[in-house]
Amino acid sequence: MGYSDTEIRYLKGIGEKKAEAFNRLGVYTLRDLLSLFPRKYEDRSHFTPIAAAIDGESVCIKALVATEPRLSRVRRGLELVKFRVVDDSAAVDITYFNQPYIRQRIHKGDLCRIYGRIVVVGGMRTMTNPVYEAEGSVGSIGGIVPVYPLTSGLNQKLVSSAVRQALDACADELPDALPEKVREEYRLAQSGFAYENIHFPSDFEALELARRRLVFEELFVLACAMKKLKNGSKKAEGKKIIPPNPEEFFETLPFEPTGAQRRAINDALCDMASGGVMNRLVQGDVGSGKTLVAAALIWAAAKNGLGSAFMAPTEILAQQHYQTLTGLLDGFGIRIVKLTGAMTAKEKREAKAELKAGGPVLAVGTHALFSKDVEYENLGLVITDEQHRFGVNQRASLIEKGARPHVLVMSATPIPRTLALIIYGDLDVSVIDELPPGRQAVETVLVTESLRLRLNAFIRKLVGEGRQVFVVCPMIEESDAEQQEKLRSAEEHARELQRYFPDMKVACIHGRMKAKDKNALMEDFVAGRTDILVSTTVIEVGVDVPNAALMIIENAERFGLSQLHQLRGRVGRGKHKSYCVLVSDSDNEASVSRLRVMTKTSDGFKVSEEDLKLRGPGDFFGSRQHGLPEMHIADLCADMNVLQTAQTAANELTASDPDLCKPENARLKLAVKRLFEINADTLN
Ligand code: ADP
Ligand code: MG
């Protein structure tokens, strides 16, 4: 155990309370503290002549105190100290609130550096509570100042002083996972330089170099870790299947498969016939018909006497896929078994017995499919839907169930190629770039609350024509009482609609309900027994109700674009003209322009591009969704080019030292191990 493992409470100025505050930021040891990177930096490196300072701008000035600071008591609890400073261009009036002791520190005739925001009041420049440093003293003005993430009990000064101590204490053993050779080859800064300048940059160039090094290092360790995971599960011989003629299956369908569906099916059949193990990603926008691809492959596996498992991310989706696949695979003698967490112990027991019996069987379910006690006989194919919701670990654990089954991953989330490479690595990709014929774009409109009556009239009209309606309300965070009042809670909204439309059947599904109840309500809706289904985002992915022609999204500003796109994909799946209504009273310009994107395009890739531009990686690259560990400094989207380089470097290095056994890679090995330990739930 080195010095960097020391707990932070041994630092000067950090007692129990402060240490607890740091803990809340995830900082326990000096090493953690070194990796508490500034959120941003304040440029206090340039001095501005007072006359050149613009109203509203934060500036550094060098000035002379021109008047003796004077204290005035405005009322009890409000004391002001005021004085004027000048340089050779103009003057600024300075005011401090409730800091009377300032009169002991600052006197007429002193030279000083001041950093603060200029506000022009009645033609006079003023500053309130600026940072003041006496000329000649050591301070922050004149340099670039880190701004750290804070939590209650901490302030900037305290954090930066703690970081300063940690840097000095750990100077000889800074975290450094980069082998020297890699560092040199990619011209990266040394760790000492990097940690010093990421916290206390000498100038912006040094900051950039420091950041590049640290981002590279983080992504390099991640790439090596993913590589290691994959090496463990690769190189296997697969169960060879003799591909049947898919036309035999297509003949039983009520429609013609699209060209893109045929291509994806053929790609996968070739993989499975090759003797190796299939590892394929099928990417296709919502509604592109991925389920059919899955069904065709399950059918082909069954023809070869092999069982399949189909895994969905939620109970509702598992239920729906169970029904859809039962329909699609009817008449082929495949036993279809449902297995989800919501089933009773008895039901589960029976399902497990069925699976163990082997033969041409299909298991459809949730995570429950890969619980420890589930055994498969002759499992040949594993399909996961909406993979980005599954951690890498889950994929691995299901793979363990069969002797190297073929794996098909289906996703509607358009992922930039480089990122897909890291997440999926060894997967081959088929893209379904064609929607089934006759699909009409979903007409999307953005409305404010004031149009509620017209919206209700529209609901009445569509339901009158026999259509069904989805209404989605944002999830409620219980802690946020004020927000809660303004947001449309699903249950309350459902009650309102039911009162307004007494002749219609309104149902409500939300996250806190039992899976069984959710399933029952969902079944009612699918069967057309319910007219309006109000829900939180539990219906976000996958659900297929062709008769639903209207999707209303309340408080639409609360959703990310990609999420809205997924939601919108729930309608326009049948032959009926469909609509998506985004309800938002937001007056935030950015939110409104984000929502406008939805009204202009129905292309999932375009939507996600816009999302990236407008919001950064947040939404669908949001920390846990893709199953990757949280990054400290790297931004998986903005640092895409570094990601690419780091990946190349990782491939080179692991090619010559796959198990990281060479002594020069010892620290890297440790960092990879640490990543696995910290992220045991996402990675292992
Ligand atoms: P997703 O790719 O979003 O999973 P689904 O597999 O749920 O899409 O398919 C969406 C809808 O399109 C379903 O109702 C399905 O029956 C229908 N569908 C799929 N393929 C075709 C096709 N080739 N022609 C017509 N309809 C199709
Ligand atoms: Mg689907």
Side-chain angles (χ1 to χ4, degrees), residues 142 175 285 465 610:
D285 206 347
E465 289 166 8
E610 286 296 325

Side-chain angles (χ1 to χ4, degrees), residues 289-449:
K290 294 183 289 293
T291 318
L292 174 63
V293 174
L297 300 178
I298 292 163
W299 167 79
K303 282 234 145 195
N304 283 262
L306 295 174
S308 302
F310 185 108
M311 180 161 64
T314 64
E315 291 277 341
I316 287 184
L317 279 176
Q319 174 62 28
Q320 170 138 69
H321 276 132
Y322 174 75
Q323 276 162 3
T324 312
L325 290 168
T326 303
L328 285 169
L329 295 167
D330 186 36
F332 292 114
I334 302 173
R335 282 182 297 125
I336 306 186
V337 179
K338 191 171 73 169
L339 181 57
T340 70
M343 287 164 45
T344 64
K346 179 161 173 279
E347 289 169 333
K348 280 187 210 164
R349 226 175 13 252
E350 283 165 9
K352 282 178 218 164
E354 286 258 1
L355 295 179
K356 208 175 161 188
V361 61
L362 165 64
V364 182
T366 53
H367 303 57
L369 285 180
F370 51 91
S371 329
K372 275 205 176 60
D373 56 345
V374 182
E375 289 171 55
Y376 294 90
E377 178 62 39
N378 223 4
L379 180 64
L381 172 64
V382 171
I383 300 175
T384 73
D385 194 19
E386 307 298 347
Q387 146 81 15
H388 60 292
R389 302 253 162 154
F390 287 100
V392 178
N393 58 327
Q394 289 158 321
R395 181 151 62 108
S397 104
L398 190 43
I399 288 168
E400 273 166 24
K401 298 278 180 198
R404 300 286 172 206
H406 299 288
V407 174
L408 187 80
V409 169
M410 306 201 294
S411 173
T413 311
I415 300 169
R417 239 187 77 74
T418 23
L419 193 55
L421 267 177
I422 281 239
I423 303 177
Y424 303 123
D426 52 344
L427 297 200
D428 302 304
V429 181
S430 300
V431 178
I432 306 191
D433 49 5
E434 185 184 349
L435 292 179
R439 272 303 148 73
Q440 309 169 47
V442 177
E443 192 174 325
T444 306
V445 289
L446 175 59
V447 304
T448 55
E449 200 59 43

